[in-house]
Each structure stands twice: as C-alpha cells, then as structure tokens.
Amino acid sequence: MSAAQEETISVPASYGQTSNTLAQYEQQYTRSIGSVAGTADRFWIEQASRLDWEQRPTRGDESSFDPVEIRWFADGVLNICHNAVDRHVAAGRGDDRAIVFEPDDPDGAVRRLTYRELQAEVVRCANTLKAMGVGRGDRVTIYLPMIVEGAIAMLACARIGAVHSVIFAGFSADAIAGRIADCASEYVICADEGRRGGRIVPLKANIDTALAKLAVKAVLVVRNTGAPVPMQEGRDHWYDEASRDVADTCPCEPMGAEDPLFILYTSGSTGKPKGVLHTTGGYAVWAETTFRAVFDYRPGELFWCTADIGWVTGHSYIVYGPLLAGASVLMFEGVPNFPDHSRFWQVIARHGVNIFYTAPTAIRALMREGTSYVEGHDLSSLRLLGSVGEPINPEAWQWYHEHVGASRIPVVDTWWQTETGGIMITTLPGAHGMKPGSAGKPFFGVVPQLVDNDGKVLDGVAEGLLCITQSWPGQARTIYGDHDRFVLTYFAHFKGKYFTGDGCRRDADDYYRITGRVDDVINVSGHRMGTAEVESALDSHHDVAEAAVVGFPHDIKGQGIYCFVTLNAGIEPTESLVAELKQQVRAQIGPIATPDHIQFAPALPKTRSGKIMRRILRKIAEHEFDALGDTSTLADASLIDGLIADRRNAG
Ligand code: WTA
C-alpha cells in the first residue's frame, strides 16, 4: 500500500455547515450499537420516530444470529408508501418536487412530478393493481426500464401490501422465468419497450417468451415507446386503458413492521440467484436514516443516483431512501456514454444536481475518455459525490474528486450489499476525513469484525474476512422460501456472525478498505454475477463437456468474466463456437453476463477427488502464473503449462 493511498484528505472548509460532526458521530455510534445496555433500542426508536406509524414500535432489535431470526420494531404498524408519499403531502409539502425524470434522448421530454402528483399516480396504479386482483402478500414482478412508472409501481405495490420483485430490464427471458417461478408471482408489470443508450429493449417480447411455459393471472403493460406489441386476450392489459376509470383515492394498507416489502434476486456462490427478502419497518428506517446522514441531504436539493431500480441501489437510493426523506430525486433513463461521454455532466448542469451517486465502473470509463468531456459543464451545483458497487481504485477516486468535484467537495465511498438493505460502511461528510479507496467507518448500528479463514477474530490493523456481529434494521430477513439457504449462505461460515463474502483491511485509524469478494461471485461493472450461473449456461450447450468460470481484473468493469471450457470429444474449437457460447450466456442470463474471454482447454485442473481447482484457474486468468500455489494435489499437473501458454496468447 503506497503512502499516497493511506493519505487522509480532510473535508474542505468550503463544504459548509453540516449535520454531521465527528463528536456527534462518535456519540451516536456508541449509542446505536448499544455499548451501554438499552441505548441501542432507544437510538433506533428515535430514528424510527421520524416516520409515521399507525402503531408506534415499543421495541427495536429482537434479532438473533444463532439461531437465525432477524426482527426489528416487531410491534410497529406502518405503511412505507404512506411515509414516502402521503406523509409529505399531508405535511404541506405536496408542491415540493419528488421526481425529475431525464430521458435517454437528451431532446426527449423531461418529466417532473411533485409529491402531490406522485401521490395521484401511485393511487392510480394501486387501484389498477387491485382491480386486476392483486392483494396483500401477493408477489408482483416488475420488469420496467428507468421510467417514473418503475418507482410508481413499486410504491403502488407497497401501498396495498403486495410484495414487489423488480427484475433489471437487462435480464433475459430465461432469467425472468426463473425469478417469476421462484416466488410464484402471478402478476407482472412491464412496458412495451425500453430505451437505453439509443437502443430499444424488447421488454414485452421478453416477458412473452418468459411466460410461454408459465401461467400468470395478469400482465400490465405500460405504453412507453408506443411500439405495437402482441397482447394476449384476458391476460395482458394496457396500463393507460386499465387505469382510466379507477378511483382517485386508495387507502394505505396497515402493515406489520415484519411484513414483507420486497424480494430482490441476487447472485451468490452457488446455484440459482437468491430471492433476498426485506421487510417493511426496519428497511424503511434504514433507508431513511442512511440517506439523510450519508448524503447530508438539505431541503430543496436535488439528489441523483445513477443506478437502475432493478438493483438494490435503485431501491434504496432512487426510491425509498430519498422519498422517505422527502427529498427531490433525479431519475435517468440513459447511460453515461450516450450520445457522448459528457452525458452525466450535461444532466448535472441541466438540472442543477447537488448530490451525485454513481459507480466506479462509470467513473473509470469516463476517466479513460479524458477530462475534455467534463470541462465546459457547469458542475458548481454539486455539493457531495458518492461511489457504490465495487471497490474504487485510488486513481479513479482522485479523478472523481478532482475533475468532477473540483477538489472542493467530499466523496463518500459507500460499502453495502443487497442483503444489508442500505449503506453499512462509509465516511460521513463533515465528520470524517477521506482516504481514497477506503470505504471508511461503520455506519450507526454496524459492528464489523475481521476474521481469518478459521474464524479467529483479528484485532487492530489486519486483513481478513468481513463479518458483522449484530443485526441492524435494514438487514435481509431471509431468502424467499428457503430460510435454510439463508442460514447456510450467511451464518454457517462463522457461527453467530453474518459473513459478507468480502475481504477487507482495517488500518491504524480504524478505516475499512474492502478488497473484493472472496467467494465465487464476480463483480462485473458493479453487478454481482455468480460463476456457477455462467457455468451452468455454458454447460447447457451441446458441445460443452465442462466449464469453469472465474473473474479477472478488468480496467473498466473492475472484473471481467473468464471462462475455461472443455469441449466434447471430436468438437473443434472455432471462432463461431465462441460466439455461440457467448450468445448462450446472454440468452440464459442477459447481456451483463457476456463472457469477456473463452479459453478452450483440453481438460480442467482437478484434484484427485475430481474437484475443479478454481484457485489455480483464477491465478491463470489473472496472469499470476508464479502464484499458482500448491499444485501437488492436482491429478494431472502437466495440464497447467498448456493452460498458461494459451492464456498468454489470449493477451
Ligand atoms: C461490492 C450493491 C467495495 C462488495 C450495493 C459487495 C463494494 C457487493 C462497495 C454487493 C464499495 C459494494 N467498496 N466494494 N463501496 N459497494 N461493493 O449486492 O463486494 O449488488 O459484497 O449491492 O458489491 O453488491 P450488491
């Protein structure tokens, strides 16, 4: 670690008044984790009291990690849609801007919704869902592009007590079918088509393919591009038609704090994607509290998170966090490089964005294009920058700080996961100095711990596996329909602790630096990909005998997807087969999973008991040929030289 990377950058004085100071952080942190018995519950009930409850919770944390049962605010009753929308209207903030929509095409129409308008739209959608038969507890699949209807549909589900399962619009029909089947969702909301980076995404067509072998009760189709799409009689309904005559009021369903709010599928080390389940009360408190404190939000400001609502970042920091806090949020349909690499900076200048939250992969891609695209755009409205989704390399951090932030505003590097519901490790602007590449300090209620492979706790300056030792309100409650898998995935490695799957270093100032996944998950452009999923897509090709997939360092994406493939006897490796295999993965998962490299191998390195030695393949993919480690357990060590030679040739 070079000295430059350890350097602490203090928050410039020009940053101005802030709600966070170091003394406040330390005092609040101590209370929030309950260092003094009883303080944690009081702290969290105080945070919860910013929300409206039909029945106020009298208790905070009642969770246990052994046996695993996560429960917060259990006797509270509330509705999160009421809190995110109606509460603000009732408090006289109905004319405040809620959502500003910036379209993919810079010449397209900007849409602005006040909280009052948002309320009317959510009510309309909620009543339409009810008319289709959706009720409390029903799972509703949402497959929409980044248009305001996405946020509206999520809030409408929450309003009537239905559980939303949003699927990123870049996933394929096969991936959708798997997710719909897994949670037995009988209702789907999609659009005719989506737009992204000047291209059209055939959303309804993907849904039709996904539903070829699955029966659902109803599909609600939002007219977005206006393209003609086939509609199945009795099943498919145009949203604009179905919603025309619905009532203009709709009560918010009173929900228990532990009633399910949403399912979000995410990749893990093994098997199919898991349906991570979040419930209502704890998630609401976590999304609101983290949003307020980490982004130091001030009334009237415009917050922009560039994530997609199909990922947890979009759930917590486009929809729930900002709206629960009564903030104004920008929703962007497009991508950073369309029509050109200045798109982000144009949007910031056009709308006067104050807080900007994006992913390292976007920063690296824009950094590569040079500073000319940033220059000439008025970014003076910016007050705070954020990063999320993967480790940010210090070079990208510096570029972001200097060229986007003009070295005058703080950068928060926020570490968290789908399973954590919201931000867990970050600096608080105003309270903490920044170290490029280090996420920083635990947020309120978060108790991180580093352990070695055997579970031995590592104190002080150390590098190890990141665990969290006690529950926090936003923690996932289970994997939908499979609590055993939840326990096995997160709590079995180290009994009594939540294991994150990430490696981490702690320095002398107690700053945490995430080093990346230590399991078989690859982080491609901030998107989690299970190697097992890609392998199973490759394995299903008739010419493939076996495949092993590993990550490798990629300049822009952070990690790329590297596949070692053994073909059936007699099959010749050809360029067209490479293209076919890539296509196979795109069809089964989606374009985000497209392999970067496919290397044909006569065989895969295995132990004598037949286990593929991924550790070795990872090192080969990473070009770390001298670091293969112990190869003595290999059944056929002579294989390795050939794999290395072919890797060298692949560049
Ligand atoms: C990684 C996204 C380093 C990490 C919110 C984690 C990060 C996984 C950071 C979760 C960060 C996320 N620094 N690594 N600031 N933020 N990660 O579930 O490996 O899509 O486990 O949630 O992303 O990805 P997920």
Side-chain angles (χ1 to χ4, degrees):
M1 198 59 50
S2 74
Q5 290 174 8
E6 293 291 13
E7 176 196 3
T8 306
I9 300 176
S10 55
V11 173
S14 59
Y15 177 68
Q17 281 287 320
T18 168
S19 51
N20 303 313
T21 65
L22 184 57
Q24 275 165 355
Y25 165 80
E26 283 175 348
Q27 187 235 344
Q28 300 220 65
Y29 179 73
T30 307
R31 287 185 69 213
S32 74
I33 61 168
S35 304
V36 179
T39 56
D41 264 18
R42 280 206 296 280
F43 176 88
W44 286 111
I45 283 175
E46 269 167 42
Q47 307 309 311
S49 69
R50 281 194 299 273
L51 302 180
D52 278 354
W53 297 77
E54 293 190 28
Q55 196 176 302
R56 282 182 170 278
T58 60
R59 306 189 298 267
D61 186 15
E62 294 177 294
S63 308
S64 151
F65 283 0
D66 184 20
V68 178
E69 192 187 345
I70 318 297
R71 201 166 58 201
W72 281 81
F73 310 118
D75 62 350
V77 177
L78 79 168
N79 183 285
I80 195 169
C81 175
H82 164 83
N83 276 287
V85 183
D86 303 63
R87 178 166 60 100
H88 306 305
V89 179
R93 297 191 294 269
D95 294 328
D96 287 5
R97 347 173 248 192
I99 301 180
V100 177
F101 168 77
E102 169 72 26
D104 186 50
D105 174 357
D107 298 324
V110 171
R111 224 179 132 183
R112 293 185 174 81
L113 290 180
T114 63
Y115 273 94
R116 193 186 323 283
E117 288 161 343
L118 178 62
Q119 183 184 39
E121 291 293 337
V122 170
V123 163
R124 193 155 73 93
C125 184
N127 280 331
T128 312
L129 291 174
K130 273 187 171 172
M132 289 191 336
V134 179
R136 204 182 155 105
D138 288 341
R139 277 81 55 216
V140 177
T141 297
I142 299 177
Y143 184 63
L144 284 171
M146 278 292 293
I147 55 178
V148 290
E149 284 76 7
I152 291 167
M154 290 164 69
L155 292 163
C157 287
R159 189 177 194 90
I160 61 175
V163 181
H164 58 71
S165 163
V166 182
I167 302 180
F168 173 57
F171 278 119
S172 69
D174 284 0
I176 302 165
R179 287 157 169 79
I180 290 179
D182 181 77
C183 67
S185 163
E186 294 179 307
Y187 303 93
V188 176
I189 307 176
C190 70
D192 47 9
E193 295 177 330
R195 289 190 193 88
R196 204 160 175 265
R199 281 194 285 221
I200 290 293
V201 190
L203 299 173
K204 175 63 163 62
N206 289 348
I207 290 291
D208 287 339
T209 311
L211 294 182
K213 293 194 210 94
L214 281 173
V216 296
K217 289 188 179 149
V219 178
L220 198 53
V221 187
V222 175
R223 222 183 286 272
N224 185 40
T225 63
V229 292
M231 298 290 278
Q232 186 176 310
E233 187 66 38
R235 185 194 73 180
D236 300 350
H237 312 270
W238 285 108
Y239 178 59
D240 51 3
E241 292 167 10
S243 65
R244 196 163 294 149
D245 298 321
V246 298
D248 55 9
T249 57
C250 172
C252 291
E253 192 72 17
M255 304 302 286
E258 284 301 342
D259 282 336
L261 174 64
F262 67 84
I263 299 167
L264 188 55
Y265 286 86
T266 190
S267 296
S269 288
T270 54
K272 286 189 303 190
K274 307 179 285 261
V276 170
L277 182 87
H278 283 282
T279 55
T280 308
Y283 176 81
V285 171
W286 194 245
E288 198 264 359
T289 307
T290 53
F291 174 80
R292 256 177 207 287
V294 178
F295 299 111
D296 191 18
Y297 185 80
R298 301 166 192 186
E301 289 191 329
L302 185 62
F303 173 82
W304 179 18
C305 163
T306 68
D308 190 287
I309 52 160
W311 309 114
V312 76
T313 309
H315 281 57
S316 299
Y317 300 109
I318 294 176
V319 182
Y320 290 114
L323 297 179
L324 284 167
S328 306
V329 66
L330 186 120
M331 223 176 144
F332 176 48
E333 190 181 26
V335 295
N337 57 359
F338 173 81
D340 66 38
H341 296 96
S342 64
R343 188 69 169 116
F344 274 0
W345 324 128
Q346 270 173 23
V347 174
I348 291 172
R350 180 177 196 180
H351 296 285
V353 170
N354 305 103
I355 306 167
F356 180 63
Y357 189 36
T358 195
T361 186
I363 299 167
R364 286 192 298 265
L366 297 173
M367 180 170 99
R368 186 179 62 173
E369 303 300 324
T371 53
S372 64
Y373 288 101
V374 193
E375 285 154 12
H377 295 282
D378 179 7
L379 304 183
S380 59
S381 57
L382 287 174
R383 192 178 55 71
L384 181 62
L385 299 173
S387 171
V388 60
E390 49 176 321
I392 182 164
N393 46 314
E395 299 72 28
W397 193 101
Q398 292 287 5
W399 188 87
Y400 194 33
H401 185 241
E402 186 178 330
H403 295 285
V404 181
S407 304
R408 66 179 174 87
I409 56 177
V411 175
V412 289
D413 173 6
T414 63
W415 173 84
W416 59 293
Q417 310 178 296
T418 304
E419 296 86 343
T420 71
I423 295 166
M424 299 286 281
I425 298 183
T426 179
T427 52
L428 292 185
H432 300 117
M434 304 167 277
K435 300 192 189 200
S438 272
K441 296 281 190 174
F443 187 73
F444 304 138
V446 176
V447 185
Q449 190 178 68
L450 302 184
V451 301
D452 69 10
N453 278 319
D454 303 322
K456 188 174 143 268
V457 175
L458 307 172
D459 294 317
V461 176
E463 175 157 1
L465 306 173
L466 177 63
C467 294
I468 312 287
T469 63
Q470 63 187 53
S471 187
W472 61 98
Q475 183 169 24
R477 301 317 197 234
T478 192
I479 290 171
Y480 188 81
D482 199 346
H483 195 66
D484 287 348
R485 191 171 173 205
F486 182 67
V487 175
L488 210 63
T489 308
Y490 305 107
F491 302 90
H493 296 78
F494 309 109
K495 234 181 167 22
K497 291 168 196 174
Y498 169 78
F499 174 46
T500 63
D502 279 313
C504 181
R505 284 185 70 229
R506 183 176 46 224
D507 72 9
D509 298 321
D510 279 338
Y511 273 53
Y512 289 82
R513 176 188 300 263
I514 310 298
T515 54
R517 301 290 303 196
V518 294
D519 53 7
D520 289 319
V521 171
I522 333 183
N523 195 323
V524 185
S525 301
H527 302 148
R528 272 163 74 167
M529 245 18 286
T531 52
E533 286 168 65
V534 183
E535 284 166 8
S536 116
L538 292 168
D539 286 341
S540 67
H541 189 280
H542 49 80
D543 290 340
V544 171
E546 199 171 33
V549 173
V550 295
F552 74 105
H554 187 287
D555 285 351
I556 304 294
K557 300 183 193 177
Q559 279 189 297
I561 301 178
Y562 200 100
C563 312
F564 294 91
V565 174
T566 306
L567 297 172
N568 286 325
I571 305 291
E572 282 301 308
T574 59
E575 278 305 310
S576 69
L577 187 53
V578 169
E580 246 180 71
L581 292 175
K582 288 187 177 175
Q583 184 46 39
Q584 176 106 356
V585 176
R586 292 169 69 94
Q588 286 194 18
I589 306 173
I592 48 167
T594 310
D596 293 278
H597 280 294
I598 292 183
Q599 175 173 338
F600 294 111
L604 299 177
K606 291 187 182 162
T607 60
R608 287 188 189 91
S609 60
K611 251 184 104 195
I612 296 176
M613 294 188 74
R614 280 162 210 288
R615 173 177 55 83
I616 293 182
L617 291 174
R618 213 174 286 136
K619 291 293 173 198
I620 293 176
E622 289 170 356
H623 270 269
E624 303 222 340
F625 307 131
D626 297 333
L628 299 187
D630 181 12
T631 54
S632 63
T633 53
L634 270 175
D636 178 9
S638 65
L639 186 65
I640 301 295
D641 292 340
L643 291 178
I644 291 181
D646 287 349
R647 176 65 182 107
R648 282 214 166 93
N649 292 338

